[in-house]
Amino acid sequence: MTATLPQVGLLKGLGVTLKTLLKKPTTQQYPHVKPDLPPRTRGVIALMEENCTVCMLCARECPDWCIYIDSHKETVPPKEEGARARTRNVLDRFAIDFALCMYCGICVEVCPFDALFWSPEFEYSTYSIRELTHEKEQLRKWMDTVPPPPELEVGAETPKEISDGLAAARKAAEASAAAAAPAAPAAAGGAAAGGAPAGGAAAAAPAAKKQEEDIHVEAQIDQEVYDQLIAEGKSERVARARAKAAYVRKEKARIRAEREGQS
Amino acid sequence: MDTSIFALDNAWLALLLKVVAVLAFFLVAPLVMGYMEHKVLGHMQARYGPMEAGLGPIKHGVGQLVADGLKFLQKEDIIPARADRWVFALAPGVALIPAMIILVVIPFGPGLWAEDLDTGVFFALAVSSVSVIGLLMAAWSSNNKYSLMGGIRAAAQLIAYELPLVLAAAAVVVQAGTLSLVGIVEAQHSFTAFGIPVPYAVPQLLGFLMFFTAALAELSRPPFDMPIADAEIIAGHMTEYTGIRFAFFMLSEYAGMVVMSALATVLFLGGWYLWPGVPLPSGWLGALLGFAITMGKITTLVFVMVWFRATFPRLREDQLQRFSWLILIPLALLQIVVVAVFKVLA
């Protein structure tokens, strides 16, 4: 027994309820007011169909066995004359049964080709449990709701796929320049294609083309093009990619024009 | 104003008017109080309560209880195979009708009463204890062990708390010198303690608190909801009821809250007068104002009942019995003695 008044706890309890009465309730009026979710909320699993190689890792790792994959092999004709024909897998069906899925995300983690992503979309409840099995068309649509990956830190190493792509492009340009060299004997600078300064700019059209490679432009979204594509009904993802490409193209043209003006 | 506004020359017309008025109040007031309980209980638990059902453009769940009533009407009326059919079917009515009959004698404003009985207090308390019979009938006829346990608990509790309820009211009767509810309101209007006009709740604060506590127990409201404890005996006597009969029990609970609050208002809070000694304007304006004041007091008391429900945990059966027999009843007896002595001395 404390020194306080007997049964004062009853009044304290009344105080607590009265205070709660006057506070704003914590309820979220969900269908009327959309919840304010973190951008990377794990709502549903989306499929980037183009990246899928039908390796079946996701289906095998899935603890619930809720991923269904059907595929067939196709023979690809040889790239070079006399080489052996290759085969490749073509995805026929990719479905996730969200009635079974426990949203563990193992499939997303395990995918070696970046084909599976978490999407923040969560409003896909249905009246029938059968409708919860979503096919690849729907999974591809959800891909558009996946937020872009976070920005790299300043000074970070270029991601491997980008540096690889740049190296390949450079190599192709060198090859085309080498092919052009015998056709245009005057263009001696063509041999130094990789590091050639503006000296070769005055040369023929192919020479100007190869020079593009040493113009580096930080990719940004061209808002005008983006808005136009969105207005045309293109998906966000496609619009974003095309807008970036358009921006890079425009910037490069501008820099090229500048350099030509200087020389 | 000493006569009811329903007192007309044509006795049959007056009767019809009274019945219609009492029925209308009986059907509307519990809905309003029920809605208040939904909302207040919700907000006290940091949620909104009903928000969707509405009447036209007004939302916030104002139509929730109307919708619930319609739902109850549509439900199947199930009578268990082994139940005592007639008793089972009659019980909700027996529980419901007393609450309605008490409304006949309660004055809601100057002239706003159906009957001014000379034995108003006695009538109201006597009729209110009839509803226990309804509970017992429901509990026994359901042929269900939970219902039976609930019924036995209800009987024990209602007997225990009937006494402090009646004794607290008796102290008011001694003070006012009349059993008529209208008479008590008028006597309270001219009451002064040491020259200051106050309602009976001030000198008889203990009695008021006892009356309110006992009323909570009579209604099986938390923290005295042992007889209908849903966690252990699944709503007691209501376990086997569905549809409209269940709705009757719910309605009788809310109507009981209104009736008990109205009785407390008349006995202790000065009825339709804002404060003893403050006169009301005469005529229709006074009647309307008096009605509004009475309803304000009733709503406040019902709010406190809801507040208690949101706050206090349930009393155990032995705590509940001990509280009544060892604390409330001796205090109530003492209070009557003190009031009687002061009445004689004054």
Side-chain angles (χ1 to χ4, degrees):
Chain A
M1 275 282 144
T2 51
T4 50
L5 285 166
Q7 309 303 328
V8 78
L10 294 179
L11 297 177
K12 278 185 189 166
L14 288 173
V16 169
T17 38
L18 192 66
K19 235 183 273 169
T20 317
L21 173 77
L22 299 174
K23 266 191 271 180
K24 192 175 157 43
T26 48
T27 312
Q28 295 188 355
Q29 292 296 89
Y30 160 56
H32 307 300
V33 182
K34 298 285 176 203
D36 187 18
L37 295 171
R40 294 199 169 267
T41 300
R42 294 163 181 195
V44 75
I45 293 164
L47 171 73
M48 186 77 184
E49 199 190 323
E50 296 87 329
N51 286 358
C52 182
T53 61
V54 202
C55 68
M56 303 288 283
L57 278 180
C58 50
R60 279 193 284 170
E61 293 294 332
C62 177
D64 291 340
W65 289 70
C66 69
I67 301 180
Y68 305 99
I69 300 178
D70 287 340
S71 68
H72 68 271
K73 262 184 194 169
E74 250 176 27
T75 311
V76 183
K79 278 187 190 156
E80 293 161 22
E81 196 66 36
R84 145 175 92 85
R86 308 279 168 155
T87 55
R88 96 189 151 93
N89 287 326
V90 179
L91 187 64
D92 294 328
R93 175 177 188 232
F94 191 106
I96 299 180
D97 187 351
F98 286 102
L100 288 179
C101 177
M102 62 174 183
Y103 300 89
C104 64
I106 289 177
C107 52
V108 178
E109 292 294 321
V110 87
C111 179
F113 300 102
D114 278 356
L116 288 170
F117 290 89
W118 278 114
S119 154
E121 189 59 42
F122 66 96
E123 290 171 307
Y124 53 95
S125 53
T126 60
Y127 285 103
S128 159
I129 198 165
R130 287 185 199 92
E131 292 163 35
L132 273 172
T133 306
H134 287 292
E135 299 294 334
K136 65 179 179 188
E137 288 74 25
Q138 180 60 46
L139 299 178
R140 183 66 185 79
K141 267 180 210 153
W142 277 325
M143 198 59 220
D144 294 335
T145 63
V146 174
E151 292 282 320
L152 290 176
E153 277 177 35
V154 179
E157 211 176 288
T158 326
K160 189 153 187 311
E161 56 267 36
I162 293 180
S163 55
D164 282 1
L166 283 176
R170 201 167 290 137
K171 214 169 153 192
E174 262 172 46
S176 72
K209 193 117 187 161
K210 84 195 168 209
Q211 267 216 340
E212 244 175 72
E213 298 312 316
D214 39 299
I215 304 173
H216 179 67
V217 176
E218 202 69 45
Q220 280 176 20
I221 288 178
D222 188 323
Q223 199 57 43
E224 242 173 72
V225 177
Y226 179 81
D227 290 344
Q228 193 194 331
L229 286 167
I230 288 291
E232 279 170 22
K234 291 281 192 296
S235 75
E236 242 177 77
R237 198 178 168 80
V238 169
R240 215 183 294 128
R242 288 198 186 164
K244 271 186 188 172
Y247 174 83
V248 171
R249 230 178 291 130
K250 216 191 276 177
E251 272 300 277
K252 282 187 177 173
R254 191 180 60 77
I255 293 169
R256 214 178 302 133
E258 245 174 46
R259 286 187 185 174
E260 270 172 33
Q262 278 170 4
S263 61
Chain B
M1 205 184 287
D2 291 334
T3 53
S4 163
I5 54 163
F6 300 113
L8 302 174
D9 293 336
N10 188 333
W12 288 107
L13 189 63
L15 183 69
L16 188 73
L17 266 180
K18 285 172 187 175
V19 168
V20 168
V22 166
L23 257 182
F25 185 83
F26 178 73
L27 290 176
V28 172
L31 283 188
V32 176
M33 297 307 166
Y35 175 63
M36 187 180 82
E37 167 150 50
H38 276 61
K39 290 308 259 189
V40 169
L41 210 53
H43 280 268
M44 280 186 170
Q45 296 167 350
R47 54 188 177 85
Y48 284 108
M51 286 296 277
E52 297 298 326
L55 304 173
I58 313 156
K59 291 277 184 200
H60 279 268
V62 284
Q64 184 65 45
L65 283 163
V66 180
D68 280 351
L70 289 176
K71 182 196 74 178
F72 279 132
L73 278 175
Q74 292 166 12
K75 281 190 154 187
E76 188 188 354
D77 182 25
I78 300 169
I79 297 181
R82 306 288 296 275
D84 191 340
R85 295 186 66 88
W86 282 103
V87 182
F88 187 87
L90 271 177
V94 177
L96 184 68
I97 287 172
M100 187 165 23
I101 291 179
I102 301 175
L103 285 177
V104 172
V105 294
I106 288 174
F108 285 97
L112 281 177
W113 59 82
E115 287 297 335
D116 176 20
L117 296 182
D118 289 339
T119 54
V121 177
F122 173 74
F123 178 85
L125 294 176
V127 170
S128 80
S129 54
V130 171
S131 60
V132 186
I133 311 279
L135 298 198
L136 277 178
M137 282 165 70
W140 183 257
S141 66
S142 292
N143 201 359
N144 175 315
K145 60 187 170 196
Y146 298 115
S147 297
L148 185 58
M149 269 188 259
I152 290 168
R153 283 180 183 185
Q157 175 170 325
L158 299 189
I159 289 168
Y161 283 88
E162 193 79 47
L163 238 71
L165 190 80
V166 173
L167 290 176
V172 169
V173 171
V174 170
Q175 182 106 58
T178 172
L179 272 167
S180 152
L181 287 167
V182 178
I184 287 173
V185 173
E186 294 295 354
Q188 215 169 159
H189 184 49
S190 51
F191 175 74
T192 56
F194 306 111
I196 309 158
V198 282
Y200 285 161
V202 175
Q204 300 194 18
L205 181 64
L206 197 62
F208 175 55
L209 295 180
M210 273 190 298
F211 186 88
F212 191 70
T213 312
L216 278 181
E218 284 284 290
L219 296 168
S220 299
R221 292 281 303 176
F224 304 103
D225 58 342
M226 213 51 192
I228 53 166
D230 18 3
E232 38 195 285
I233 49 171
I234 330 168
H237 60 276
M238 293 184 278
T239 304
E240 295 289 356
Y241 280 90
T242 51
I244 189 71
R245 291 183 210 281
F246 179 74
F248 272 21
F249 276 121
M250 294 301 287
L251 189 61
S252 67
E253 180 182 344
Y254 289 113
M257 281 165 75
V258 174
V259 162
M260 280 299 174
S261 301
L263 270 181
T265 303
V266 168
L267 292 178
F268 293 97
L269 299 180
W272 63 79
Y273 291 106
L274 192 59
W275 192 260
V278 181
L280 277 178
S282 59
W284 278 103
L285 185 65
L288 277 180
L289 208 60
F291 184 70
I293 289 169
T294 312
M295 286 316 290
K297 288 174 179 176
I298 291 175
T299 313
T300 311
L301 287 179
V302 174
F303 171 79
V304 174
M305 287 182 178
V306 177
W307 191 7
F308 279 15
R309 178 175 173 183
T311 309
F312 295 138
R314 190 177 296 135
L315 262 73
R316 216 169 49 214
E317 192 65 38
D318 62 320
Q319 293 170 331
L320 203 141
Q321 293 291 334
R322 188 170 294 130
F323 184 54
S324 173
W325 293 106
L326 297 186
I327 299 175
L328 284 186
I329 292 173
L331 275 179
L333 287 170
L334 183 73
Q335 153 126 340
I336 289 186
V337 172
V338 171
V339 169
V341 167
F342 269 91
K343 177 81 178 172
V344 172
L345 288 182

